[in-house]
Amino acid sequence: MSWQPGDSQQQATRREELPGRYDATLLLSALALAAFGLVMVGSSSIAIAEGEGSGPFHYLLRHALFLGMGAMLGLAMMRTPLDLLERHSRVLMLAAVLLLLAVFVPGLGRRINGATRWINAVLLTFQAVEAVKLMLIVYLASYLVRFSHQVTGSLLGTIKPLGITAVLVVLLLLQPDFGSALLLLSITGGMIWLGGARARDIGGLALLGMPVMAIAALAEPYRVKRLTSFLDPWADPFNDGFQLSQALIAIGRGEWLGVGLGARVQKLFYLPEAHTDFVFAVLAEEFGFLGVTVVVGLFALLVTRALMISREAAQAGQAYQSYVAAAIGIWLGLQAFVNIGVNMGLLPTKGLTLPLLSYGGSSMLVTLGWIGVLLRIHHDTQAT
């Protein structure tokens, strides 16, 4: 609350009424990626929807619905003061644990493709970990503000947030969801580093944690198969290496300018999960290197703006907002990098969607909600 000079009396002005503006670059880049996603989901899902007997535009219409719902959530987050999230950060952390436990409740949780990661909601099947990512970020940002001296000055201050994240990681491994578990650990590590934790503390804990994660990765036979097929998909192109080899064929066919929208062949049941995890391969085949460059450039712009908003918030003395914005930038960059790396054969298959492009209601809702949070942070920073 600030004071504005009046005629003879001073009137209080709420923070929401202070002059501020929303980040047009951030908003336009997010809208451009969402538009790309709408086009690519429509192009890649027609054959799949027809094969399922649900109508050619089944997935396209649902994706458009998710976009509309996500836009409304983003608008709601733009109107939500960040201090409200900060005050309830511990409640949200508890909610994150309960959400991951809820997937194991019979009748509430749903098992798809051998993994129990989804909760049956009214209009969609919601993947719990998507909301958990945001809840974890809100909590960690609050922790770094409240215990800044412990984080920068002691090993215990670094261990505490990692211990909390470890609880979520264990629940994710039980689903199983190894990719999301690694993503949460990476986000936590990045936030702790930004919070000023000593390099020797982070490095020592990472060295201790790496063997544990390696054992977890090799404990399940399907993860071992993913690793071996990633190393040489052509050794077994019709079985374990089928998905990756088809993705590489699609990317190779795109060449410089692509085969044209709707003209690709790989989406006709050759490439599994063409409208979800491997939508980037569809994009590469239809729009070629040019389309890939545009999309990667938009992601780079989105992440850059998130980090710049974080810096501006820090300069304005808004530490909590700064940590949240930086964490969102880290998440967007990491998840996009992993998904694109998987599509191009640079990383083993992780089952992570491409933000704003892949089909999926829970991913779209949460991602657009995060964009709304970033826009709110920038507005508040400009208003100070």
Side-chain angles (χ1 to χ4, degrees):
M1 184 172 292
S2 64
W3 290 98
Q4 302 287 343
D7 295 329
S8 58
Q9 294 181 345
Q10 291 178 319
Q11 295 180 340
T13 303
R14 293 180 179 273
R15 173 180 284 262
E16 291 80 2
E17 298 171 354
L18 289 168
R21 58 186 177 84
Y22 295 108
D23 192 319
T25 302
L26 174 72
L27 180 60
L28 290 176
S29 57
L31 289 176
L33 285 169
F36 257 109
L38 186 64
V39 172
M40 297 319 304
V41 167
S43 175
S44 61
S45 66
I46 290 177
I48 297 172
E50 288 182 330
E52 295 174 349
S54 53
F57 302 113
H58 171 75
Y59 290 106
L60 175 61
L61 293 175
R62 285 179 62 86
H63 190 72
L65 175 63
F66 297 149
L67 272 174
M69 294 170 62
M72 289 190 292
L73 179 59
L75 288 172
M77 297 306 295
M78 287 169 62
R79 301 292 299 173
T80 302
L82 265 291
D83 56 359
L84 179 64
L85 295 179
E86 185 177 9
R87 288 198 304 270
H88 295 89
S89 60
R90 280 169 282 196
V91 175
L92 290 174
M93 191 68 242
L94 177 60
V97 175
L98 293 177
L99 270 178
L100 292 181
L101 288 172
V103 301
F104 301 108
V105 177
L108 183 60
R110 183 178 179 185
R111 190 173 183 86
I112 301 176
N113 295 331
T116 310
R117 306 174 187 172
W118 291 265
I119 296 175
N120 286 318
V122 178
L123 296 177
L124 72 156
T125 303
F126 189 83
Q127 191 168 358
V129 71
E130 296 295 341
V132 168
K133 296 171 189 174
L134 179 57
M135 294 172 177
L136 177 63
I137 286 174
V138 167
Y139 175 80
L140 289 177
S142 174
Y143 176 88
L144 292 173
V145 171
R146 288 182 288 116
F147 301 102
S148 59
H149 295 298
Q150 292 186 23
V151 174
T152 57
S154 69
L155 176 61
L156 183 61
T158 303
I159 291 177
K160 285 180 180 178
L162 284 172
I164 292 171
T165 304
V167 174
L168 303 180
V169 167
V170 169
L171 293 174
L172 286 171
L173 292 177
L174 292 174
Q175 293 182 3
D177 190 353
F178 189 74
S180 294
L182 281 178
L183 184 63
L184 290 189
L185 284 174
S186 300
I187 293 172
T188 303
M191 291 187 69
I192 292 172
W193 177 73
L194 288 175
R198 295 175 298 191
R200 69 171 183 266
D201 293 342
I202 297 176
L205 292 171
L207 289 175
L208 291 174
M210 286 174 62
V212 177
M213 295 306 294
I215 293 172
L218 299 176
E220 294 289 341
Y222 81 93
R223 294 194 190 115
V224 178
K225 288 183 178 180
R226 283 183 177 181
L227 181 61
T228 55
S229 64
F230 146 73
L231 293 173
D232 187 7
W234 308 108
D236 192 6
F238 298 106
N239 192 9
D240 292 336
F242 181 77
Q243 193 172 40
L244 180 55
S245 61
Q246 295 303 313
L248 293 175
I249 290 172
I251 293 172
R253 289 189 72 243
E255 297 186 350
W256 290 100
L257 299 177
V259 298
L261 180 63
R264 68 181 299 272
V265 176
Q266 291 304 106
K267 67 186 178 187
L268 301 176
F269 304 107
Y270 291 103
L271 178 61
E273 310 295 339
H275 60 308
T276 55
D277 296 350
F278 283 85
V279 71
F280 182 82
V282 180
L283 169 77
E285 186 176 5
E286 295 192 351
F287 290 97
F289 180 76
L290 178 61
V292 166
T293 302
V294 171
V295 168
V296 171
L298 287 171
F299 272 114
L301 181 60
L302 199 63
V303 172
T304 300
R305 284 306 306 153
L307 297 179
M308 291 180 67
I309 290 171
S310 172
R311 185 183 64 179
E312 292 168 0
Q315 292 173 346
Q318 300 175 3
Y320 178 77
Q321 288 84 343
S322 177
Y323 287 131
V324 171
I328 294 175
I330 292 171
W331 166 77
L332 283 170
L334 279 176
Q335 186 154 330
F337 174 79
V338 170
N339 180 276
I340 293 172
V342 167
N343 276 251
M344 299 183 67
L346 301 175
L347 296 170
T349 303
K350 289 289 188 296
L352 295 176
T353 58
L354 186 57
L356 296 172
L357 269 78
S358 295
Y359 173 83
S362 50
S363 175
M364 184 62 67
L365 285 171
V366 173
T367 303
L368 289 177
W370 287 24
I371 297 299
V373 170
L374 281 175
L375 290 169
R376 175 70 192 212
I377 293 172
H378 182 265
H379 179 274
D380 288 352
T381 302
Q382 297 298 312
T384 55

